[in-house]
Amino acid sequence: MAANTDPTPDPTTSPTGAPTGVNLGYAVDQLTRALVTATTHEDADTRRRADRRMERWGAVLRGVLDGKLTIGSRTPVKDLPAWVTPGVVRGGFATGSAAAEGPLLPHEQALATRMRVAADRAELFRHHLSKHGLTELWTLLDSGAFRVDLPEEAALLTVAWLVRAGDDEAASAVVEEIAPFAGRLRFAPQPTDSAAADPSIVWRHSAGEVREELAARRPNPRIEAMREALTVWNPFADELLTHWLATVVDGRVAERADEAWTARSRTLLARYTALADRHRHCTKHRNRKQNLAILRNALAEHLTGHGLTPRTRGLLQHAVDSMVRRRGAPGSPAHTALRAEQAAIGAVPTHHGIARVVVARLAALPQHVGVRDVDAVLRPVEAGEAPEAAIPVGTAVPDAFGTAVRRAAAGTVEELLDAGVVPSAEVLAMLVPQLAAASTAAAYRDPALRQLMTATYRAFRNRRSLLLLNLEHQVRLEELPWVRAVQAHRHADADTRGAAAGALRRLGELTLDAFPATVLPNPLVRELSALGAESGLRLPWVEELAADIFMGTFSGKYLAAAQIAGGLLTGSLYERYYGIDYAALTAVDDVHSGRYGARTSPTFDALCGERARASGSTRSGSVAANGTVIEQAQILTTHNLATLVGPAGVRPAGDWATLAWRAFVKAKTLAAQVPASPHPLPVVKDIAYAWRHLVFFLSMPGADPAGFVRTARNDADGLPFHVQIRLQPAIGGLEHVVTGGTFPPDGTAAPDRRRLLGWSTGGHWMLPSRSA
C-alpha cells in the first residue's frame, strides 16, 4: 500500500481469542467483489472465474471462523505441515486446501487405468513404491522426460533416486513423512514427451498457456454481425426484393397466384428459417421495421391465403420503392458494384479465424516450455492451414497475436530483454528462478539428481508467498523432506561457488542495466539471496515490507545491510543527501532475540522511527506512518543496491552517470502521470524510489553530480508546467546538497529545495491541494 491516509488495520481475533493482526475486512471485500461480478457481469467466462474466486475467499473466511486457518502463520492450515504448498489467494491468504490436492489429473487417471489399480492417489502412491513403480521412476529420472509443477511432485522421484543410490535410510525417512498425505496429494511428476530444456533458456509463458489464451478469445460480436449482414442477410434481402419485383404492375407491387411464384415463396421462407437458425450474430432482420422483415412478413401473410392487408401492402410498397431508390434494382450496374464491394469487405479474414491458425501452430509445439522460434508461429497463413475459415494464403498474422505469442518467446534473459519481452523488474523476477535453479543444483554431481533438483527448485519458486506476521519467514527449500534427504549428496566446491557468484553478478547487472529506477521486487531478492548463499557469500538481502502488516521492528539483516551501505557510502553524496551518520551506524552491535523470537536490533528500529518522525511523520501506527518507517530502513540499507555493488561486485554495462540519467527520465515520466492518476500516492512513492536510485548512482566513482544537476535543471525547464512544479523542488534539493548544503535536522525545507521521500502522513508536497 502507498496511501498516506489509510486507517490503521483493525486486528481480528481468532476463535481461540488470540489476535491475528490481520484485517479480515479485506477478505470480506474480495468475496463481495467476486459476488458482484459473478452475478452481474455480462461475460459468462468472467462470471465463472468470479465464481471460483468466491469459492476460494469463502474457504478463507470459513477456515478462519472454524479454526482451521491461522492467517499470518507459516503453517496456516491446521492439518498441513509447513512443507506442503498451500492454496493461496491474493494478499497471501491461505485457503485451507493444498495446491497438490484435488481430483486426479489426466496422467494419474491414465496410470491407474494402465496399472489396473483404483483411481485413488493412495493406490498410485503404493504402485510408485513397488518394484515396477520404482523402475518406471528410474526411467523418468534417466530420460529427464518429466514435469514438476509443484515441489511435492518431485518427492517420489527423489525417493527413487535415493533407493538407487543405496541410501535406503533417507528414502524411508521421506516416505514416512509424506505417507500420511499419500491419499490426498500428488507426489509423482507428470511424464512428458521430451527432456527438460536448456536451463539457460527462459520464458515468461509456455506455448500451452498462450495457446489456451488465444483459444479462449471470442469473436468480436460487432465484426461478426457486420460480416453476417454483408454476406448473408444483404444477399437474402436481394432475393426477396427480386421476388417481389416480379409482381410489379404499373409501378405497384401486386400479389401473384401462380404455383411457381407461390412455391418460390415457400422456398424463400424456409431458407430464411434455416439461415436465422444458423446465423445468430446479426439481429436486424428480426426488426419488424426493417425492409427485410417487411418483405418477409408480407410473403408469409400472402401464403396464408387471405391476401395482404392494406397496411401490409403499404409497408411492402414503401420498402420496395426505398430499396430500389437507394441501391438500384438487383442486377443493375450500381447495385452489382455495391454488393461486390460489400462482399469483398465481408470476405476479409477475421482475427478469430486467424487465431485458430495460430492456435493450431502452437498446439504442435511442446506445451510446457516457451517458443524458441516465434517468427515461425507468426508467419503468414499457408496453404491448407485454414480450410474451414477460408483464409487466403499469405494472410498476415495481426500484431495483436504477435504480442501474445511473444510473451512465450524462449531465449536467454539478454535476448528477451533486447526483444522487449521483459517490461519490468517484476517480470524479470518471474524468469530468474529458471536461471538460479541451475546454479543452486550444480552441487549435485549426479546428472539425474541435478536435473531433478533443478526442476524442484523452479517448482518451489512458484509457491505463492504467505501473509506472515511476527517476523516469521517463508518456508525454505531445504525444509522440504525430500530436498533435505539429498543434502548429504551435495558436493559444493570452488567451481560451483564460482558459477553461483557469476550468476549472481549477471543477474545484478541485468537488473541495474534494464531497470535502474525500480526497487528490486521481493521474488528477485529471494533469488539473489539463494545465489549468494550458494556462492558462499552470506549477504543480508532485504525485502520490501508491507506497511499494512508491519510489526514495528526489522530483522537483524537490515542492520547488516545498512552497515554494508556505510562501508560503501560514508562521506558520499548519498549520505549527505539523506542525512545519515554511517559511522555511528557501523558501530552498532546489539542484534539479539526480540519479542517475536527473531533476532532484531533495537538501535536500528529506534533510528528508523526517529528519522521517520524527523521527516514529519505523525499518527504513529497508521499504515502511512508504518510506510515512513519502512522507507527510512530502505534509505539506510539502500534496499540492496550497496550489497549488489559492494560485496557482490556488480557493475553496470555502461557508467553510473548513464544509470542516474535513466532514473531521472523515469522520474520525469512518472511525474507527468500524477495529475491523471486515480491513485497518485503510489506514483509519488515510485518517483521517490527512482530518485533514491539516482542519488545512489551519482554517489559512485566517476559520476559527475554537479554536471548532472546542471543538465537536469536545463532539461526540466522544457517540461510541462505541472511536471516542473513537482520536479524542480527535488532538483533544487539535490543541487543544494551537491554544492555543499544540508537539510535541516527537523525535516523542514525551503519550498524550492526539498528532500524527496515517498511516504507521508500528511499531504505530500508533490500533490498540491485542490484549492492551490
Side-chain angles (χ1 to χ4, degrees):
M1 292 187 180
N4 61 11
T5 56
D6 286 344
T8 303
D10 298 325
T12 59
T13 301
S14 71
T16 63
T20 67
V22 177
N23 185 1
L24 287 181
Y26 176 83
V28 174
D29 178 65
Q30 293 296 317
L31 177 63
T32 303
R33 289 171 181 263
L35 173 62
V36 171
T37 302
T39 55
T40 63
H41 203 281
E42 60 184 16
D43 181 67
D45 289 338
T46 302
R47 292 196 302 272
R48 281 192 290 270
R49 289 193 295 270
D51 279 333
R52 291 194 290 271
R53 288 198 302 276
M54 281 178 56
E55 293 175 5
R56 292 193 290 268
W57 283 110
V60 170
L61 292 171
R62 287 192 301 272
V64 171
L65 293 176
D66 63 19
K68 182 181 179 181
L69 284 177
T70 305
I71 304 299
S73 168
R74 70 194 303 270
T75 53
V77 185
K78 188 175 182 179
D79 58 346
L80 293 179
W83 55 262
V84 173
T85 305
V88 179
V89 291
R90 184 177 181 179
F93 287 78
T95 63
S97 62
E101 66 179 319
L104 265 62
L105 298 184
H107 71 276
E108 294 177 294
Q109 293 277 9
L111 177 61
T113 300
R114 178 166 58 86
M115 300 311 303
R116 298 181 180 178
V117 299
D120 173 81
R121 286 208 171 99
E123 286 293 328
L124 294 178
F125 187 85
R126 283 189 283 272
H127 162 71
H128 286 303
L129 294 178
S130 68
K131 183 177 180 180
H132 184 219
L134 287 171
T135 301
E136 290 181 333
L137 292 175
W138 292 331
T139 301
L140 283 182
L141 278 170
D142 292 334
S143 67
F146 59 85
R147 176 179 171 182
V148 175
D149 292 329
L150 294 167
E152 286 86 341
E153 295 172 343
L156 286 173
L157 272 180
T158 308
V159 169
W161 186 90
L162 288 167
V163 170
R164 188 166 67 177
D167 196 345
D168 294 340
E169 182 179 353
S172 297
V174 174
V175 172
E176 183 178 353
E177 191 161 355
I178 68 176
F181 308 95
R184 182 175 177 182
L185 306 181
R186 295 190 301 276
F187 286 117
Q190 177 178 340
T192 59
D193 294 333
S194 59
D198 180 348
S200 67
I201 302 301
V202 297
W203 55 88
R204 285 180 63 184
H205 299 288
S206 67
E209 289 169 337
V210 174
R211 176 187 58 78
E212 290 176 1
E213 175 192 337
L214 294 179
R217 292 189 181 185
R218 298 291 181 264
N220 185 316
R222 294 182 179 179
I223 297 296
E224 294 302 315
M226 181 195 73
R227 285 169 53 84
E228 204 170 83
L230 295 178
T231 61
V232 177
W233 297 116
N234 282 357
F236 183 72
D238 292 341
E239 290 188 61
L240 286 179
L241 177 59
T242 301
H243 189 59
W244 278 113
L245 285 175
T247 71
V248 172
V249 177
D250 296 330
R252 306 295 296 175
V253 177
E255 294 183 73
R256 290 174 54 171
D258 60 89
E259 292 184 5
W261 192 85
T262 300
R264 173 67 175 158
S265 299
R266 290 194 178 94
T267 299
L268 286 171
L269 289 180
R271 280 197 58 227
Y272 170 79
T273 300
L275 290 173
D277 186 59
R278 190 164 65 252
H279 302 285
R280 299 169 179 264
H281 295 288
C282 180
T283 58
K284 289 181 65 176
H285 60 90
R286 301 182 189 277
N287 187 339
R288 298 180 65 86
K289 296 181 180 181
Q290 294 292 320
N291 288 334
L292 188 155
I294 292 171
L295 268 59
R296 174 177 57 81
N297 290 335
L299 207 59
E301 190 172 309
H302 165 75
L303 291 178
T304 62
H306 301 297
L308 303 181
T309 65
R311 181 176 183 279
T312 300
R313 191 180 299 278
L315 290 172
L316 174 63
Q317 186 67 54
H318 180 270
V320 170
D321 291 343
S322 63
M323 293 172 75
V324 173
R325 183 170 58 251
R326 288 180 61 188
R327 304 181 185 88
S332 67
H335 186 279
T336 300
L338 174 64
R339 291 305 191 221
E341 180 182 351
Q342 291 176 340
I345 295 173
V348 172
T350 65
H351 281 199
H352 181 62
I354 299 173
R356 291 163 58 186
V357 174
V358 177
V359 166
R361 291 172 176 175
L362 289 169
L365 301 175
Q367 296 298 285
H368 63 286
V369 297
V371 178
R372 201 69 177 99
D373 190 354
V374 170
D375 291 339
V377 177
L378 298 176
R379 68 187 186 275
V381 175
E382 297 177 348
E385 283 198 293
E388 295 181 7
I391 298 175
V393 172
T395 298
V397 174
D399 291 341
F401 299 144
T403 300
V405 174
R406 287 187 183 91
R407 289 203 301 273
T412 65
V413 174
E414 290 85 353
E415 289 172 342
L416 297 189
L417 284 167
D418 290 342
V421 177
V422 185
S424 67
E426 287 74 18
V427 173
L428 177 62
M430 293 168 50
L431 305 179
V432 171
Q434 301 179 58
L435 294 175
S439 295
T440 57
Y444 297 99
R445 298 298 176 82
D446 181 81
L449 181 60
R450 184 163 59 247
Q451 181 172 342
L452 174 57
M453 288 298 105
T454 298
T456 305
Y457 184 99
R458 291 169 60 170
F460 180 76
R461 288 309 191 208
N462 288 332
R463 284 177 62 128
R464 296 185 63 177
S465 296
L466 285 168
L467 187 158
L468 297 178
L469 301 175
N470 304 334
L471 297 183
E472 290 201 44
H473 61 80
Q474 301 288 339
V475 173
R476 299 187 174 105
L477 178 66
E478 57 270 20
E479 293 181 66
L480 305 185
W482 48 98
V483 174
R484 188 171 63 244
V486 295
Q487 290 297 301
H489 300 275
R490 286 176 58 88
H491 300 284
D493 55 21
D495 290 339
T496 59
R497 287 192 292 270
L504 171 59
R505 285 192 298 274
R506 177 191 178 201
L507 176 57
E509 290 164 2
L510 286 173
T511 304
L512 283 185
D513 287 328
F515 310 106
T518 303
V519 170
L520 273 64
N522 286 349
L524 193 57
V525 172
R526 285 195 292 271
E527 299 309 324
L528 291 171
S529 178
L531 289 170
E534 198 65 35
S535 66
L537 297 173
R538 297 291 176 176
L539 300 175
W541 303 98
V542 296
E543 298 84 6
E544 184 175 13
L545 303 178
D548 54 347
I549 57 171
F550 179 55
M551 307 304 292
T553 187
F554 299 91
S555 64
K557 65 182 177 181
Y558 282 79
L559 173 61
Q563 291 174 336
I564 287 177
L568 184 70
L569 297 169
T570 296
S572 68
L573 170 66
Y574 188 95
E575 183 182 47
R576 299 195 309 275
Y577 181 85
Y578 287 110
I580 305 170
D581 184 354
Y582 272 126
L585 193 56
T586 302
V588 174
D589 184 17
D590 65 342
V591 176
H592 56 76
S593 295
R595 51 179 166 159
Y596 301 118
R599 292 175 60 78
T600 63
S601 167
T603 300
F604 184 82
D605 294 345
L607 178 60
C608 291
E610 291 167 5
R611 289 175 57 85
R613 288 188 290 275
S615 69
S617 175
T618 58
R619 295 169 54 233
S620 176
S622 70
V623 172
N626 288 346
T628 62
V629 176
I630 292 170
E631 183 174 26
Q632 290 302 322
Q634 291 179 326
I635 289 170
L636 294 173
T637 64
T638 72
H639 197 73
N640 302 302
L641 289 178
T643 305
L644 279 173
V645 174
V650 170
R651 297 293 181 271
D655 54 43
W656 296 110
T658 300
L659 290 189
W661 186 256
R662 290 175 59 197
F664 178 68
V665 170
K666 181 66 173 181
K668 289 193 302 180
T669 302
L670 291 169
Q673 298 172 2
V674 169
S677 174
H679 305 289
L681 291 167
V683 181
V684 171
K685 185 181 71 170
D686 290 339
I687 295 173
Y689 289 172
W691 201 262
R692 187 171 73 231
H693 284 220
L694 180 159
V695 175
F696 179 88
F697 298 145
L698 289 179
S699 302
M700 294 294 101
D704 179 13
F708 177 91
V709 168
R710 288 193 299 272
T711 305
R713 177 75 76 182
N714 292 334
D715 183 82
D717 288 341
L719 297 174
F721 178 70
H722 73 91
V723 181
Q724 287 189 41
I725 62 174
R726 290 176 173 83
L727 285 185
Q728 289 287 16
I731 296 173
L734 180 61
E735 183 178 36
H736 176 63
V737 177
V738 167
T739 55
T742 59
F743 292 109
D746 61 0
T748 60
D752 63 339
R753 55 188 191 201
R754 294 179 179 272
R755 177 189 290 152
L756 178 51
L757 301 175
W759 285 87
S760 173
T761 55
H764 198 285
W765 57 264
M766 269 201 169
L767 301 173
S769 65
R770 292 183 182 275
S771 59

